[in-house]
Every structure is written in structure tokens, then in C-alpha cells.
């Protein structure tokens, strides 16, 4: 499947519970509970290769604590395959980094329709 572009979202910092998010205690750039509430992408990427390269840079810059058992390279292979599918093609990672920070990285394909926030 070919998409017009990809929306990339990122957050690095403290983790918040669903209850804290609902009460408005999380920062405005914290990933929302509902994907539909996602606003203001960190980046707009024009191709699948660009989207996977962005994800590679982001994940490599914030190494997951479980990288030995689920390497970044494996995550990127999975992500590329997932983003090429016609349905349910978003990629969402939320994990603890080796530095002890919560990391959220998300990619959503977009065809530029009326619901596009680009």
C-alpha cells in the first residue's frame, strides 16, 4: 500500500497512568490514550524509507532496556512490514530506555484525506 506521507510522534520523559492522563496531569505532548486524539506530529515524512529511517534514529538514540532480546534492527523490520499493510498499519512503541526514561515513538500513515492533520 502506498501512502501520501507518514505522521511521526515522539515523547521522552516520565510515564503517566491512564488516570493521570484523563485528569490532565500529563504534558501536552504525552501520547494520548486514544489514537484519534493525536495532534501536532513531531515530523511529517514523505516516504516509507524516510519513516523507517526516522524510527531507526529515534530508537537507536533511546535504546530500549530489552534491546538484547528484541533488537532495534528487528523492530525496524517489523515496523517496515507493518507500515506496508493496507489495514492497521500504524506502528506504536512505548518502552523504558536504558537511561531510565519512558520513550514513546509512533508512526501513522496518511493519505491526505479530510482527517489529515498535516
Amino acid at each position: 500500500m502506498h501512502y501520501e506521507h507518514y505522521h511521526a510522534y515522539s515523547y521522552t520523559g516520565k510515564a503517566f497512568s491512564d488516570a493521570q492522563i484523563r485528569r490532565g496531569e500529563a504534558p501536552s505532548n504525552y501520547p494520548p490514550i486514544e489514537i484519534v486524539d493525536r495532534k501536532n506530529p513531531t515530523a511529517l515524512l514523505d516516504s516509507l524509507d524516510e519513516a523507517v529511517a526516522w524510527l531507526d534514529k529515534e530508537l537507536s538514540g533511546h535504546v530500549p532496556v530489552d534491546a538484547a532480546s528484541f533488537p532495534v534492527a528487528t523492530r525496524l523490520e517489523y515496523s517496515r512490514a507493518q507500515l506496508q499493510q493496507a489495514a492497521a498499519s500504524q506502528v506504536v512503541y512505548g518502552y523504558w530506555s536504558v537511561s531510565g526514561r519512558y520513550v514513546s515513538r509512533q508512526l501513522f500513515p496518511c493519505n491526505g484525506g479530510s482527517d489529515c492533520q498535516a
Side-chain angles (χ1 to χ4, degrees), residues 31-104:
I33 297 169
E34 299 290 329
I35 292 173
V36 71
D37 293 333
R38 186 43 109 174
K39 307 275 189 276
N40 303 319
T42 303
L44 293 175
L45 307 160
D46 293 328
S47 69
L48 176 61
D49 288 341
E50 228 182 295
V52 174
W54 175 86
L55 190 59
D56 183 13
K57 179 182 171 199
E58 294 295 316
L59 297 181
S60 296
H62 301 280
V63 178
V65 294
D66 64 348
S69 61
F70 189 16
V72 169
T74 303
R75 293 172 205 242
L76 295 173
E77 290 171 20
Y78 163 79
S79 299
R80 179 178 292 279
Q82 184 69 14
L83 289 169
Q84 289 174 324
Q85 295 185 21
S89 59
Q90 66 267 7
V91 171
V92 177
Y93 289 105
Y95 62 90
W96 292 100
S97 69
V98 294
S99 67
R101 300 179 81 194
Y102 178 73
V103 177
S104 174

Side-chain angles (χ1 to χ4, degrees), residues 7-10 31-32 38 54 91-93 104-108:
H7 294 221
Y9 299 93
S10 65
R38 186 43 109 174
W54 175 86
V91 171
V92 177
Y93 289 105
S104 174
R105 298 297 183 264
Q106 304 172 1
L107 283 170
F108 297 95

